[in-house]
Amino acid sequence: MSSPEKTKKKKKELSQTSTQIPSLPDDLLVSCFARVSRLYYPTLSLISKRFRSLLASPKVYKARSLLGNTENILYVCLDLYPCSRWYTLCQTLTNDTSEEKKSSGYVLAPLAIPHSPHARPSGLVAVGSNIYNIEHSSCVSILDCRSHTWSEAPCLREKVSSLSASVVDQKIDVAGRICKGPYYCKNSFEVFDTKTQIWDPDPIPCEYSFVNPRSACIDGKFYVNAGTNVVPYDSKEGRWDLDRGNMNDHMHFDCYCEIENVLYSAYYGVLRWYEYKYSYILPLDLCVDLMVQ
């Protein structure tokens, strides 16, 4: 068979497939989508407006929940003033049919999220299927990662000059600094209950100074840097302690994250991680060599 004939046959098969899929009932499509990894959703949403609508509907996520088919998905936010751009991890399949190149690939797919507010890494936290964006202006907005729509949440009590947020037991702890004039600054520490959508009415005092706060949640405690020290807040005991380790060395800039009670950071050419008051350092070029091997 000649090459043009092969191409014609392939187009005919694709045409038949594309006309058959839309004729399937919505319930059957939802059942199929619920069994597919969410990594494929950005690609599937490009097929048709109907697919895009069904993939964003609550029916799909209700079906996924009933099947127990839940998974963690990576979201990436680019801080571009005055708004932010959002991307999600997407899995694709190469068109090459050879055995050597036929493999799954990952790309960051842009998300069409209208009216995205300005976001900073220190004010972004994820709880369940929602991403909370806490701004210095005290405004709080919620991104629903299922429908990719924004909604408003109750604001902070006061506008802060700097802040850092982390999640402890589905509650958002926010350490901030309130400055009113060049000679008057004070700490701000507030707790937001994501279940009731209410801020704790009583502010929590802290004798340490949050000049440029950076925070993380480790072992159920909220850790925030205060000058050269890191102070953990134990919500169960209702008290602040002084950390005797060197966690502060791992909380520079915004190049750090917490994964399963381990604090990771990458800067100045090395990868560092902190666990149970012990520090580990590994050059980034060696990390690359280990991954390649």
Side-chain angles (χ1 to χ4, degrees):
M1 186 180 292
S2 63
S3 179
E5 290 177 346
K6 286 183 178 180
T7 303
K8 186 176 180 180
K9 183 179 179 181
K10 192 172 183 180
K11 287 183 178 180
K12 184 178 180 180
E13 291 175 351
L14 289 173
S15 177
Q16 291 175 347
T17 303
S18 62
T19 56
Q20 290 172 359
I21 291 178
S23 64
L24 296 175
D26 286 356
D27 290 344
L28 181 56
L29 286 174
V30 166
S31 179
C32 294
F33 292 154
R35 288 167 168 79
V36 177
S37 171
R38 280 196 60 194
L39 292 172
Y40 291 103
Y41 281 16
T43 302
L44 290 172
S45 65
L46 299 175
I47 295 177
S48 66
K49 291 183 178 179
R50 184 184 176 207
F51 273 35
R52 187 158 53 251
S53 176
L54 287 174
L55 289 168
S57 69
K59 294 181 180 179
V60 172
Y61 296 95
K62 183 178 180 180
R64 293 180 67 91
S65 178
L66 292 174
L67 292 170
N69 191 14
T70 58
E71 57 188 324
N72 295 323
I73 298 296
L74 174 67
Y75 276 74
V76 176
C77 176
L78 292 185
D79 178 17
L80 301 173
Y81 188 81
C83 60
S84 300
R85 295 182 182 178
W86 289 85
Y87 298 80
T88 187
L89 194 65
C90 173
Q91 191 168 8
T92 60
L93 191 64
T94 61
N95 294 326
D96 198 313
T97 57
S98 63
E99 291 298 327
E100 294 181 357
K101 295 185 178 181
K102 187 178 180 181
S103 61
S104 297
Y106 295 91
V107 297
L108 284 175
L111 295 173
I113 305 178
H115 311 297
S116 288
H118 178 56
R120 294 184 180 180
S122 60
L124 288 174
V125 292
V127 183
S129 58
N130 294 325
I131 296 177
Y132 287 77
N133 177 32
I134 305 172
E135 303 179 59
H136 292 182
S137 63
S138 80
C139 294
V140 181
S141 48
I142 307 173
L143 174 63
D144 188 331
C145 295
R146 297 167 298 183
S147 61
H148 293 146
T149 55
W150 287 97
S151 61
E152 298 298 324
C155 298
L156 292 166
R157 290 188 191 87
E158 297 184 71
K159 180 179 178 180
V160 295
S161 60
S162 59
L163 65 84
S164 184
S166 295
V167 179
V168 182
D169 297 329
Q170 294 191 333
K171 292 185 178 181
I172 303 175
D173 291 4
V174 182
R177 189 73 169 164
I178 300 173
C179 292
K180 296 182 179 180
Y183 304 108
Y184 177 75
C185 290
K186 66 176 183 178
N187 287 338
S188 170
F189 182 64
E190 298 190 46
V191 179
F192 183 73
D193 191 328
T194 59
K195 293 181 179 179
T196 62
Q197 294 288 294
I198 297 175
W199 289 97
D200 203 352
D202 299 321
I204 300 172
C206 180
E207 62 184 27
Y208 303 99
S209 178
F210 305 146
V211 177
N212 188 23
R214 294 285 185 270
S215 65
C217 173
I218 306 291
D219 288 330
K221 293 183 180 181
F222 176 75
Y223 287 79
V224 59
N225 67 328
T228 58
N229 299 313
V230 173
V231 290
Y233 177 73
D234 190 332
S235 59
K236 296 180 180 179
E237 299 292 334
R239 72 183 186 197
W240 293 91
D241 295 317
L242 182 63
D243 184 68
R244 299 299 179 183
N246 60 340
M247 185 186 293
N248 202 26
D249 296 337
H250 301 261
M251 298 174 69
H252 291 292
F253 312 110
D254 293 313
C255 306
Y256 71 91
C257 66
E258 178 272 328
I259 303 175
E260 296 183 355
N261 289 324
V262 179
L263 188 67
Y264 296 89
S265 61
Y267 58 97
Y268 294 130
V270 296
L271 174 67
R272 302 167 182 256
W273 62 96
Y274 178 92
E275 181 179 13
Y276 301 115
K277 299 186 179 182
Y278 293 97
S279 297
Y280 306 90
I281 300 176
L282 193 64
L284 285 177
D285 53 356
L286 180 56
C287 294
V288 175
D289 292 339
L290 291 174
M291 288 188 290
V292 171
Q293 294 176 3

